[in-house]
Amino acid sequence: MERYRLEEGLVVGRKALPQGDLLLRFVTPKGSLEALAKKGLRPTGRSGRLSLFHHVRFQVYAKGEGLPTLTQAELVGRLHGLEEPRRFLLASFLAELAYRLASPEAAPRLYPVLVSGLRGIAKHPEPLLPLVWAGWRVVKAGGLAPSLLGPGLHLPGGRLGEEGVYLGEKGVEALRAILHLPGGEALAYLEEAPLERLFLALKGHAEEALGPLRSALAL
């Protein structure tokens, strides 16, 4: 197994460690990845290229079962607009959800949805709309799509019923569109949909399968 390998993806998590090191999380088209950038916070380090939501091309060194070490990093692109607090929180939720679901099998489908969703959150007048679209599409790519065949206008336990988060007819119609129609067509259904309830249903559905999402606490 090669110890050095090249990767490309989005920075979706970073944590400062003692001695100026950075613990980084990436979502790539191949899956989720955690790596250590030694001395990454020093003035001569790579911190500027490794900010949240930056698109980077990087090299890691892996030895045995230990945490890979980042050895090179090149900034490919950055998203402008996510600095605004609410947009940043929504982007963080989507990024954490994607990181948790980006298995090697799901990542090729999930990664382009994550990129598109973050761009929408950065630019759309109502950032909750692209988050709802991308969040449910990420859930679907990760193999956790709910069943919408049953009766009822609530979403409990991954299927429609008479309890759980109330979506209403517009909400159920929009969720069906998100899960089954191409992106552009599905977005039209969200213009009149109950976005807050669709987000609450997304949060509950994801956390039921994955456990608590830290980024959801701030929303």
Side-chain angles (χ1 to χ4, degrees):
M1 179 179 178
E2 293 185 4
R3 291 185 172 180
Y4 287 94
R5 69 179 191 269
L6 293 174
E7 302 281 354
E8 185 171 329
L10 295 176
V11 180
V12 298
R14 51 178 275 157
K15 179 181 179 181
L17 299 176
Q19 288 79 49
D21 296 343
L22 272 176
L23 180 62
L24 298 160
R25 284 182 169 180
F26 301 92
V27 174
T28 81
K30 301 176 185 177
S32 298
L33 173 66
E34 213 171 33
L36 182 68
K38 293 186 176 181
K39 315 304 180 188
L41 287 175
R42 288 190 173 184
T44 56
R46 295 175 287 265
S47 181
R49 281 166 279 172
L50 298 170
S51 296
L52 284 175
F53 314 124
H54 279 187
H55 178 192
V56 293
R57 188 176 295 117
F58 58 99
Q59 179 179 266
V60 293
Y61 173 79
K63 183 178 181 181
E65 299 298 323
L67 192 65
T69 301
L70 187 141
T71 57
Q72 297 179 25
E74 174 191 356
L75 179 63
V76 178
R78 57 170 64 99
L79 282 173
H80 298 284
L82 293 177
E83 301 84 4
E84 190 272 323
R86 183 164 180 261
R87 294 179 191 271
F88 179 83
L89 291 174
L90 296 177
S92 297
F93 175 86
L94 179 61
E96 182 180 359
L97 181 61
Y99 181 84
R100 298 280 290 273
L101 287 171
S103 66
E105 297 76 21
R109 301 184 301 273
L110 183 153
Y111 183 78
V113 176
L114 171 61
V115 172
S116 181
L118 290 175
R119 287 174 177 164
I121 293 169
K123 297 178 181 180
H124 199 281
E126 174 44 82
L128 189 58
L129 189 151
L131 169 64
V132 166
W133 173 82
W136 280 112
R137 293 292 283 252
V138 162
V139 163
K140 180 183 178 181
L144 297 179
S147 170
L148 301 180
L149 299 177
L153 300 175
H154 298 70
L155 191 67
R159 61 182 65 248
L160 291 178
E162 302 300 328
E163 299 178 352
V165 178
Y166 176 71
L167 298 180
E169 293 183 2
K170 290 285 188 181
V172 172
E173 182 182 40
L175 186 50
R176 285 199 177 103
I178 293 169
L179 295 176
H180 300 296
L181 295 180
E185 295 180 35
L187 289 173
Y189 286 83
L190 284 168
E191 296 292 343
E192 299 180 1
L195 296 177
E196 293 286 350
R197 295 201 294 270
L198 283 166
F199 171 71
L200 289 176
L202 170 64
K203 175 181 174 295
H205 182 72
E207 291 191 326
E208 184 173 357
L210 303 173
L213 297 171
R214 291 183 60 189
S215 56
L217 297 175
L219 292 169

Coordinates of all heavy atoms in Angstrom, one line a residue, residues 18-104:
P18 N -2.6 21.4 20.4 CA -1.4 21.9 21.0 C -0.2 22.0 20.0 O -0.2 21.2 19.0 CB -1.1 21.0 22.1 CG -2.4 20.4 22.5 CD -3.2 20.3 21.2
Q19 N 0.7 22.8 20.2 CA 1.9 23.0 19.4 C 1.6 23.6 18.0 O 2.3 23.4 17.1 CB 2.7 21.7 19.2 CG 3.5 21.3 20.5 CD 2.6 20.7 21.5 OE1 1.8 19.7 21.2 NE2 2.6 21.1 22.8
G20 N 0.3 24.1 17.8 CA 0.0 24.7 16.5 C -0.4 23.7 15.5 O -0.5 24.1 14.3
D21 N -0.7 22.5 15.8 CA -1.2 21.5 14.8 C -2.7 21.7 14.5 O -3.4 22.3 15.3 CB -1.0 20.1 15.3 CG 0.5 19.8 15.5 OD1 1.3 20.5 15.0 OD2 0.8 18.8 16.2
L22 N -3.1 21.2 13.4 CA -4.5 21.3 13.0 C -5.0 19.9 12.7 O -4.4 19.1 11.9 CB -4.7 22.1 11.7 CG -4.9 23.6 11.8 CD1 -4.9 24.3 10.5 CD2 -6.2 24.0 12.6
L23 N -6.2 19.5 13.3 CA -6.9 18.3 12.9 C -7.9 18.7 11.9 O -8.8 19.5 12.1 CB -7.6 17.7 14.1 CG -8.3 16.4 13.9 CD1 -7.4 15.3 13.4 CD2 -9.0 16.0 15.2
L24 N -7.9 18.1 10.7 CA -8.7 18.5 9.6 C -9.6 17.3 9.2 O -9.3 16.2 9.2 CB -7.8 18.9 8.4 CG -6.9 20.1 8.6 CD1 -5.8 20.1 7.6 CD2 -7.7 21.4 8.6
R25 N -10.8 17.7 8.7 CA -11.7 16.8 8.1 C -12.0 17.2 6.7 O -12.3 18.4 6.4 CB -13.0 16.7 8.9 CG -12.9 15.9 10.2 CD -14.2 15.8 11.0 NE -14.1 14.8 12.1 CZ -15.1 14.5 12.9 NH1 -16.3 15.1 12.7 NH2 -14.9 13.6 13.8
F26 N -12.1 16.3 5.8 CA -12.3 16.5 4.4 C -13.5 15.6 3.9 O -13.6 14.5 4.4 CB -11.1 16.2 3.5 CG -9.9 17.0 3.8 CD1 -8.9 16.5 4.7 CD2 -9.6 18.2 3.2 CE1 -7.8 17.2 5.0 CE2 -8.5 18.9 3.5 CZ -7.6 18.4 4.4
V27 N -14.2 16.1 2.9 CA -15.1 15.3 2.1 C -14.6 15.3 0.7 O -14.3 16.4 0.2 CB -16.6 15.7 2.2 CG1 -17.4 14.9 1.2 CG2 -17.2 15.6 3.5
T28 N -14.3 14.1 0.2 CA -13.7 14.0 -1.2 C -14.6 13.2 -2.0 O -15.5 12.5 -1.5 CB -12.3 13.4 -1.2 OG1 -12.5 12.0 -1.1 CG2 -11.5 13.9 0.0
P29 N -14.4 13.1 -3.3 CA -15.3 12.2 -4.2 C -15.0 10.8 -3.9 O -15.8 9.9 -4.4 CB -14.8 12.6 -5.6 CG -14.2 14.0 -5.5 CD -13.6 14.1 -4.2
K30 N -14.0 10.5 -3.0 CA -13.8 9.1 -2.7 C -14.3 8.7 -1.3 O -14.3 7.6 -0.9 CB -12.2 8.8 -2.7 CG -11.6 9.0 -4.1 CD -10.1 8.8 -4.0 CE -9.4 9.2 -5.3 NZ -7.9 9.1 -5.1
G31 N -14.6 9.7 -0.5 CA -15.1 9.5 0.9 C -14.7 10.5 1.9 O -14.1 11.5 1.5
S32 N -15.0 10.3 3.2 CA -14.5 11.2 4.2 C -13.1 10.9 4.6 O -12.6 9.7 4.5 CB -15.4 11.0 5.5 OG -16.8 11.4 5.2
L33 N -12.4 11.9 5.1 CA -11.0 11.7 5.4 C -10.6 12.7 6.5 O -11.0 13.8 6.5 CB -10.1 12.0 4.2 CG -8.6 12.0 4.4 CD1 -8.1 10.6 4.7 CD2 -7.9 12.5 3.1
E34 N -9.9 12.2 7.5 CA -9.3 13.0 8.6 C -7.8 13.0 8.5 O -7.2 11.9 8.1 CB -9.7 12.4 9.9 CG -9.9 13.4 11.0 CD -10.6 12.8 12.3 OE1 -10.3 11.6 12.6 OE2 -11.3 13.5 13.0
A35 N -7.2 14.1 8.7 CA -5.7 14.2 8.6 C -5.2 15.3 9.5 O -5.9 16.2 10.0 CB -5.3 14.5 7.1
L36 N -3.9 15.1 9.9 CA -3.3 16.1 10.8 C -2.3 17.0 10.0 O -1.4 16.5 9.3 CB -2.5 15.3 11.8 CG -1.8 16.1 12.9 CD1 -2.8 16.8 13.8 CD2 -0.8 15.2 13.7
A37 N -2.5 18.3 10.1 CA -1.5 19.2 9.6 C -0.6 19.7 10.7 O -1.0 20.5 11.5 CB -2.3 20.4 8.9
K38 N 0.6 19.2 10.7 CA 1.5 19.6 11.8 C 2.0 21.0 11.6 O 2.3 21.4 10.5 CB 2.7 18.6 11.8 CG 2.3 17.2 12.2 CD 3.5 16.3 12.3 CE 3.1 14.9 12.9 NZ 4.3 14.0 13.0
K39 N 2.0 21.8 12.7 CA 2.4 23.2 12.7 C 1.5 24.0 11.7 O 1.9 25.1 11.2 CB 3.8 23.4 12.3 CG 4.8 22.4 13.0 CD 4.6 22.5 14.5 CE 5.6 21.5 15.2 NZ 5.4 21.4 16.7
G40 N 0.3 23.6 11.5 CA -0.6 24.2 10.5 C -1.0 25.6 10.9 O -1.4 26.4 10.0
L41 N -1.0 25.9 12.2 CA -1.4 27.3 12.6 C -0.3 28.3 12.7 O -0.5 29.4 13.0 CB -2.1 27.1 14.0 CG -3.5 26.5 14.0 CD1 -4.0 26.3 15.4 CD2 -4.5 27.4 13.2
R42 N 0.9 27.8 12.5 CA 2.1 28.8 12.6 C 2.0 29.8 11.4 O 1.4 29.5 10.4 CB 3.4 28.0 12.5 CG 3.7 27.3 13.8 CD 5.1 26.7 13.8 NE 5.4 26.1 15.1 CZ 6.6 25.7 15.4 NH1 7.6 25.7 14.5 NH2 6.9 25.1 16.6
P43 N 2.5 31.0 11.6 CA 2.5 32.0 10.5 C 3.0 31.5 9.2 O 2.6 31.9 8.1 CB 3.4 33.1 11.0 CG 3.3 33.0 12.5 CD 3.2 31.5 12.8
T44 N 4.0 30.5 9.2 CA 4.5 30.0 8.0 C 3.8 28.7 7.5 O 4.2 28.0 6.6 CB 6.0 29.6 8.1 OG1 6.1 28.8 9.3 CG2 6.8 30.9 8.4
G45 N 2.7 28.4 8.3 CA 2.0 27.1 8.0 C 1.0 27.3 6.9 O 1.0 28.3 6.1
R46 N 0.1 26.3 6.8 CA -0.9 26.2 5.7 C -2.3 26.6 6.1 O -3.2 26.3 5.3 CB -0.9 24.8 5.1 CG 0.4 24.4 4.4 CD 0.3 22.9 4.0 NE 0.4 22.0 5.1 CZ 1.5 21.5 5.6 NH1 2.6 21.7 5.0 NH2 1.4 20.6 6.6
S47 N -2.4 27.3 7.2 CA -3.8 27.6 7.7 C -4.7 28.3 6.7 O -5.9 28.0 6.6 CB -3.7 28.3 9.0 OG -5.0 28.6 9.6
G48 N -4.1 29.3 6.0 CA -4.9 30.1 5.1 C -5.5 29.2 4.0 O -6.6 29.5 3.5
R49 N -4.8 28.2 3.6 CA -5.3 27.3 2.5 C -6.3 26.3 3.0 O -7.0 25.6 2.2 CB -4.2 26.6 1.8 CG -3.4 27.5 0.8 CD -2.1 26.8 0.4 NE -1.1 27.1 1.4 CZ 0.1 26.6 1.5 NH1 0.5 25.7 0.6 NH2 1.0 26.9 2.4
L50 N -6.4 26.1 4.3 CA -7.1 25.1 5.0 C -8.3 25.6 5.8 O -8.6 25.0 6.8 CB -6.2 24.2 5.8 CG -5.1 23.5 5.0 CD1 -4.1 22.8 6.0 CD2 -5.7 22.4 4.1
S51 N -8.9 26.7 5.3 CA -10.0 27.2 6.0 C -11.3 26.4 5.6 O -11.3 25.7 4.6 CB -10.3 28.7 5.6 OG -9.2 29.5 6.0
L52 N -12.3 26.5 6.5 CA -13.5 25.7 6.2 C -14.1 26.1 4.9 O -14.2 27.2 4.4 CB -14.5 26.0 7.3 CG -14.3 25.4 8.7 CD1 -15.3 25.9 9.7 CD2 -14.3 23.9 8.6
F53 N -14.6 25.0 4.2 CA -15.2 25.1 2.9 C -14.3 25.4 1.7 O -14.8 25.6 0.6 CB -16.5 26.0 2.9 CG -17.3 25.8 4.2 CD1 -17.6 26.9 5.0 CD2 -17.8 24.6 4.5 CE1 -18.4 26.7 6.1 CE2 -18.6 24.4 5.6 CZ -18.9 25.4 6.4
H54 N -13.0 25.5 2.0 CA -12.1 25.6 0.9 C -12.0 24.3 0.1 O -12.0 23.2 0.7 CB -10.7 26.0 1.4 CG -10.6 27.5 1.7 ND1 -9.4 28.1 2.0 CD2 -11.5 28.5 1.7 CE1 -9.6 29.4 2.2 NE2 -10.9 29.7 2.0
H55 N -11.9 24.5 -1.2 CA -11.6 23.4 -2.1 C -10.1 23.3 -2.3 O -9.5 24.2 -2.8 CB -12.3 23.6 -3.5 CG -12.1 22.6 -4.5 ND1 -12.4 22.7 -5.8 CD2 -11.6 21.3 -4.4 CE1 -12.1 21.6 -6.5 NE2 -11.6 20.7 -5.6
V56 N -9.5 22.1 -1.9 CA -8.1 22.0 -1.9 C -7.6 20.7 -2.6 O -8.4 19.7 -2.6 CB -7.5 22.1 -0.5 CG1 -7.7 23.4 0.2 CG2 -8.1 21.0 0.4
R57 N -6.5 20.7 -3.1 CA -5.8 19.6 -3.6 C -4.6 19.3 -2.6 O -3.8 20.2 -2.3 CB -5.3 19.8 -5.0 CG -4.7 18.6 -5.7 CD -4.3 18.9 -7.2 NE -5.5 19.2 -7.9 CZ -5.7 20.4 -8.5 NH1 -4.8 21.4 -8.3 NH2 -6.8 20.7 -9.2
F58 N -4.5 18.1 -2.1 CA -3.5 17.9 -1.0 C -2.9 16.5 -1.1 O -3.5 15.6 -1.7 CB -4.2 18.1 0.3 CG -5.4 17.2 0.6 CD1 -5.3 16.1 1.4 CD2 -6.7 17.6 0.1 CE1 -6.4 15.3 1.7 CE2 -7.8 16.8 0.4 CZ -7.6 15.6 1.2
Q59 N -1.8 16.4 -0.4 CA -1.1 15.1 -0.3 C -1.1 14.7 1.2 O -0.8 15.5 2.1 CB 0.3 15.2 -0.8 CG 1.1 13.8 -0.7 CD 2.5 14.0 -1.3 OE1 2.7 13.7 -2.5 NE2 3.4 14.4 -0.5
V60 N -1.3 13.4 1.5 CA -1.2 12.9 2.8 C -0.3 11.7 2.9 O -0.1 11.0 1.9 CB -2.6 12.4 3.4 CG1 -3.5 13.6 3.6 CG2 -3.3 11.4 2.5
Y61 N 0.3 11.5 4.0 CA 1.2 10.4 4.3 C 0.6 9.5 5.3 O 0.3 10.0 6.4 CB 2.6 10.9 4.8 CG 3.6 9.8 5.2 CD1 4.3 9.1 4.3 CD2 3.7 9.6 6.6 CE1 5.1 8.1 4.7 CE2 4.6 8.6 7.0 CZ 5.3 7.8 6.0 OH 6.2 6.9 6.4
A62 N 0.4 8.3 5.0 CA -0.3 7.4 5.9 C 0.7 6.2 6.2 O 1.3 5.6 5.3 CB -1.6 6.8 5.3
K63 N 0.8 5.9 7.5 CA 1.7 4.8 8.0 C 0.9 4.0 8.9 O 0.4 4.4 10.0 CB 2.9 5.4 8.7 CG 3.9 4.3 9.1 CD 5.1 4.9 9.7 CE 6.1 3.9 10.2 NZ 7.3 4.5 10.8
G64 N 0.6 2.7 8.5 CA -0.1 1.8 9.4 C -1.6 2.3 9.6 O -2.2 2.8 8.7
E65 N -2.1 2.1 10.8 CA -3.4 2.5 11.1 C -3.6 3.9 11.7 O -4.6 4.3 12.1 CB -4.0 1.5 12.1 CG -4.1 0.1 11.6 CD -4.9 -0.1 10.3 OE1 -6.0 0.6 10.3 OE2 -4.6 -0.8 9.4
G66 N -2.5 4.6 11.8 CA -2.5 5.9 12.5 C -3.1 7.0 11.6 O -3.4 6.8 10.4
L67 N -3.3 8.2 12.2 CA -3.9 9.3 11.5 C -3.0 9.8 10.4 O -1.8 10.0 10.6 CB -4.2 10.4 12.4 CG -5.1 11.6 12.0 CD1 -6.5 11.1 11.7 CD2 -5.1 12.7 13.0
P68 N -3.5 9.9 9.1 CA -2.6 10.4 8.0 C -2.1 11.8 8.3 O -2.8 12.6 9.0 CB -3.5 10.4 6.8 CG -4.6 9.4 7.1 CD -4.8 9.5 8.6
T69 N -1.0 12.1 7.9 CA -0.4 13.5 8.0 C -0.4 14.2 6.7 O 0.0 13.7 5.6 CB 1.1 13.4 8.5 OG1 1.1 12.7 9.7 CG2 1.7 14.8 8.7
L70 N -0.9 15.4 6.7 CA -1.0 16.2 5.5 C 0.4 16.8 5.2 O 1.1 17.4 6.1 CB -2.0 17.4 5.7 CG -2.3 18.2 4.4 CD1 -3.8 18.6 4.4 CD2 -1.4 19.5 4.5
T71 N 0.9 16.6 4.0 CA 2.3 17.0 3.7 C 2.3 18.2 2.7 O 3.3 18.9 2.6 CB 3.1 15.8 3.1 OG1 2.4 15.3 2.0 CG2 3.3 14.7 4.1
Q72 N 1.3 18.3 1.9 CA 1.2 19.4 0.9 C -0.3 19.8 0.8 O -1.2 19.0 1.0 CB 1.7 19.0 -0.5 CG 3.1 18.6 -0.5 CD 3.6 18.2 -1.9 OE1 3.0 18.6 -2.9 NE2 4.6 17.4 -2.0
A73 N -0.5 21.1 0.5 CA -1.9 21.6 0.3 C -1.9 22.7 -0.7 O -1.1 23.7 -0.6 CB -2.5 22.0 1.6
E74 N -2.7 22.6 -1.7 CA -2.9 23.7 -2.7 C -4.3 24.1 -2.8 O -5.2 23.3 -2.9 CB -2.4 23.1 -4.1 CG -2.7 24.1 -5.3 CD -2.5 23.4 -6.6 OE1 -2.1 22.2 -6.7 OE2 -2.8 24.1 -7.6
L75 N -4.5 25.4 -2.7 CA -5.9 26.0 -2.8 C -6.4 26.0 -4.2 O -5.7 26.5 -5.1 CB -5.9 27.4 -2.2 CG -7.3 28.1 -2.2 CD1 -8.3 27.4 -1.4 CD2 -7.1 29.5 -1.8
V76 N -7.5 25.3 -4.4 CA -8.1 25.2 -5.8 C -9.2 26.3 -5.9 O -9.3 27.0 -6.9 CB -8.7 23.8 -6.0 CG1 -9.4 23.8 -7.4 CG2 -7.6 22.8 -5.9
G77 N -10.0 26.5 -4.9 CA -11.0 27.5 -4.9 C -11.6 27.7 -3.6 O -11.5 26.9 -2.7
R78 N -12.3 28.9 -3.4 CA -13.0 29.1 -2.1 C -14.4 29.7 -2.4 O -14.6 30.3 -3.5 CB -12.2 30.1 -1.3 CG -11.9 31.4 -1.9 CD -11.3 32.4 -0.9 NE -10.0 32.0 -0.4 CZ -8.9 32.4 -0.8 NH1 -8.8 33.3 -1.8 NH2 -7.8 32.0 -0.3
L79 N -15.3 29.5 -1.5 CA -16.7 30.0 -1.6 C -16.8 31.3 -0.9 O -16.4 31.4 0.3 CB -17.7 29.0 -1.0 CG -18.0 27.8 -1.9 CD1 -18.9 26.9 -1.1 CD2 -18.8 28.2 -3.1
H80 N -17.3 32.4 -1.5 CA -17.5 33.7 -0.9 C -19.0 33.8 -0.5 O -19.9 33.4 -1.3 CB -17.1 34.8 -1.8 CG -15.7 34.8 -2.2 ND1 -14.7 35.2 -1.4 CD2 -15.0 34.4 -3.4 CE1 -13.5 35.1 -2.0 NE2 -13.7 34.6 -3.2
G81 N -19.3 34.3 0.7 CA -20.6 34.5 1.1 C -21.0 33.7 2.3 O -22.0 34.0 3.0
L82 N -20.2 32.7 2.7 CA -20.5 31.9 3.8 C -20.0 32.5 5.1 O -20.2 31.9 6.2 CB -19.9 30.5 3.7 CG -20.5 29.6 2.5 CD1 -19.8 28.3 2.4 CD2 -22.0 29.4 2.8
E83 N -19.4 33.7 5.1 CA -19.0 34.3 6.3 C -20.1 34.8 7.1 O -20.0 35.0 8.4 CB -18.0 35.5 6.0 CG -16.8 35.1 5.2 CD -17.1 35.0 3.7 OE1 -18.2 35.3 3.3 OE2 -16.2 34.6 2.9
E84 N -21.2 35.1 6.5 CA -22.4 35.6 7.2 C -22.9 34.5 8.2 O -23.0 33.4 7.8 CB -23.5 36.0 6.2 CG -24.7 36.7 6.8 CD -25.8 35.7 7.3 OE1 -26.0 34.7 6.7 OE2 -26.4 36.0 8.4
P85 N -23.2 34.9 9.5 CA -23.4 33.9 10.5 C -24.4 32.8 10.2 O -24.1 31.6 10.4 CB -23.8 34.7 11.7 CG -23.1 36.0 11.5 CD -23.1 36.3 10.0
R86 N -25.6 33.2 9.7 CA -26.6 32.2 9.5 C -26.2 31.3 8.3 O -26.4 30.0 8.4 CB -27.9 32.8 9.2 CG -29.1 31.8 9.0 CD -30.4 32.5 9.0 NE -31.5 31.5 8.9 CZ -32.2 31.3 7.7 NH1 -31.8 32.0 6.6 NH2 -33.1 30.5 7.6
R87 N -25.6 31.8 7.3 CA -25.2 31.0 6.2 C -24.1 30.0 6.6 O -24.0 28.9 6.2 CB -24.7 31.9 5.0 CG -25.8 32.7 4.4 CD -25.3 33.6 3.2 NE -26.3 34.5 2.8 CZ -27.2 34.3 1.9 NH1 -27.2 33.1 1.3 NH2 -28.1 35.2 1.6
F88 N -23.2 30.5 7.5 CA -22.1 29.7 8.0 C -22.7 28.5 8.8 O -22.2 27.3 8.6 CB -21.2 30.5 8.8 CG -20.0 29.7 9.4 CD1 -18.9 29.5 8.7 CD2 -20.1 29.2 10.7 CE1 -17.8 28.7 9.2 CE2 -19.1 28.4 11.2 CZ -17.9 28.2 10.5
L89 N -23.7 28.7 9.6 CA -24.2 27.7 10.4 C -24.9 26.6 9.6 O -24.8 25.4 9.8 CB -25.2 28.3 11.4 CG -24.6 29.1 12.6 CD1 -25.7 29.7 13.4 CD2 -23.7 28.2 13.4
L90 N -25.7 27.1 8.5 CA -26.4 26.2 7.7 C -25.3 25.3 6.8 O -25.5 24.1 6.7 CB -27.3 26.9 6.7 CG -28.4 27.7 7.4 CD1 -29.2 28.5 6.3 CD2 -29.4 26.7 8.1
A91 N -24.3 26.0 6.4 CA -23.2 25.3 5.7 C -22.5 24.3 6.6 O -22.2 23.1 6.1 CB -22.2 26.3 5.1
S92 N -22.3 24.6 7.8 CA -21.7 23.7 8.7 C -22.6 22.4 9.0 O -22.1 21.3 9.1 CB -21.4 24.4 10.1 OG -20.5 25.4 9.9
F93 N -23.9 22.6 9.0 CA -24.8 21.5 9.2 C -24.7 20.6 8.0 O -24.6 19.3 8.1 CB -26.2 22.0 9.4 CG -27.2 20.9 9.4 CD1 -27.5 20.2 10.6 CD2 -27.9 20.4 8.3 CE1 -28.4 19.2 10.7 CE2 -28.8 19.4 8.3 CZ -29.1 18.8 9.5
L94 N -24.8 21.1 6.8 CA -24.7 20.3 5.6 C -23.3 19.6 5.5 O -23.3 18.4 5.1 CB -24.9 21.2 4.4 CG -24.8 20.5 3.0 CD1 -25.9 19.4 2.9 CD2 -24.9 21.5 1.9
A95 N -22.3 20.3 5.8 CA -20.9 19.7 5.8 C -20.8 18.5 6.8 O -20.2 17.5 6.4 CB -19.9 20.7 6.0
E96 N -21.3 18.7 8.0 CA -21.2 17.6 9.0 C -22.0 16.4 8.5 O -21.6 15.2 8.6 CB -21.7 18.1 10.3 CG -21.5 17.0 11.4 CD -22.0 17.4 12.8 OE1 -22.4 18.5 13.0 OE2 -21.9 16.5 13.7
L97 N -23.2 16.7 8.0 CA -24.1 15.6 7.5 C -23.4 14.8 6.4 O -23.4 13.6 6.4 CB -25.4 16.2 7.0 CG -26.4 15.2 6.5 CD1 -26.9 14.2 7.5 CD2 -27.7 16.0 5.9
A98 N -22.8 15.5 5.5 CA -22.1 14.9 4.3 C -20.9 14.1 4.8 O -20.6 13.0 4.4 CB -21.6 16.0 3.3
Y99 N -20.1 14.6 5.8 CA -19.0 13.9 6.3 C -19.4 12.6 6.9 O -18.7 11.6 6.8 CB -18.3 14.8 7.3 CG -17.0 14.1 7.9 CD1 -15.8 14.2 7.3 CD2 -17.1 13.4 9.1 CE1 -14.7 13.6 7.8 CE2 -16.0 12.8 9.7 CZ -14.8 12.9 9.0 OH -13.7 12.3 9.5
R100 N -20.5 12.6 7.7 CA -21.0 11.4 8.3 C -21.5 10.3 7.4 O -21.4 9.1 7.7 CB -22.1 11.8 9.3 CG -21.7 12.7 10.4 CD -20.9 12.0 11.6 NE -21.8 11.2 12.4 CZ -22.6 11.6 13.4 NH1 -22.5 12.9 13.7 NH2 -23.3 10.8 14.0
L101 N -21.9 10.8 6.2 CA -22.5 9.8 5.2 C -21.6 9.5 4.0 O -22.0 8.6 3.2 CB -23.8 10.4 4.7 CG -25.0 10.4 5.7 CD1 -26.2 11.2 5.1 CD2 -25.4 9.0 6.0
A102 N -20.5 10.1 3.9 CA -19.6 10.0 2.7 C -18.8 8.7 2.8 O -17.5 8.8 2.9 CB -18.8 11.2 2.5
S103 N -19.4 7.6 2.7 CA -18.6 6.3 2.6 C -18.0 6.3 1.2 O -18.5 7.0 0.3 CB -19.6 5.2 2.8 OG -20.5 5.1 1.8
P104 N -17.1 5.4 1.0 CA -16.5 5.3 -0.3 C -17.5 4.9 -1.4 O -17.4 5.3 -2.5 CB -15.5 4.1 -0.2 CG -15.1 4.2 1.3 CD -16.3 4.6 2.0

